[in-house]
Amino acid sequence: MDAGGIIGFVIWCICSGIFLVIGISCFRASEPAGFWANVKMCEVTDTKKYNKAVGKLFCCFGVVFAILGLPMLAGQNSPLLFLSIAGCIVLIITTMLVYELVIMKKYRKR
């Protein structure tokens, strides 16, 4: 382990913590929580359940994101860092698909 890898992992975990805080704030929101940046939120059928689902999604994202940062502890030039990069791509695409195909399909007011 080198100092660069540890510093990188700490920064990675701080970013992960931000997603956890966003998820927790979604649980407490009184209006529908937005997922996409700078997009007007559509009406939902049940705001409380919708916010709970979005909060869970953000919290799960934060936890998995933190786990994907573990290869940084192997060092800056480790080939395991490819797992972090590829895993993040898959995680982001999966999160968007879950939001659109599961959460919005269930809670969007028709």
Side-chain angles (χ1 to χ4, degrees):
M1 273 193 291
D2 60 345
I6 294 172
I7 292 170
F9 182 69
V10 169
I11 293 170
W12 191 281
C13 286
I14 290 170
C15 293
S16 172
I18 291 170
F19 285 106
L20 290 171
V21 169
I22 292 171
I24 292 168
S25 70
C26 288
F27 286 120
R28 299 179 180 186
S30 58
E31 294 182 9
F35 182 80
W36 302 108
N38 300 321
V39 175
K40 185 180 177 193
M41 186 60 206
C42 65
E43 292 185 35
V44 294
T45 56
D46 188 348
T47 302
K48 190 172 183 177
K49 288 182 181 179
Y50 167 81
N51 284 346
K52 186 175 180 180
V54 172
K56 283 182 185 178
L57 183 64
F58 273 116
C59 287
C60 288
F61 182 92
V63 169
V64 174
F65 190 73
I67 293 169
L68 286 172
L70 288 175
M72 287 189 174
L73 295 175
Q76 285 182 328
N77 296 326
S78 172
L80 291 175
L81 288 177
F82 177 75
L83 294 175
S84 294
I85 296 167
C88 283
I89 293 169
V90 171
L91 175 65
I92 291 168
I93 292 170
T94 303
T95 303
M96 290 187 294
L97 288 173
V98 167
Y99 178 76
E100 286 295 329
L101 299 177
V102 178
I103 296 174
M104 284 310 291
K105 184 177 179 182
K106 185 174 182 179
Y107 295 109
R108 179 179 283 141
K109 197 176 263 188
R110 301 187 199 284

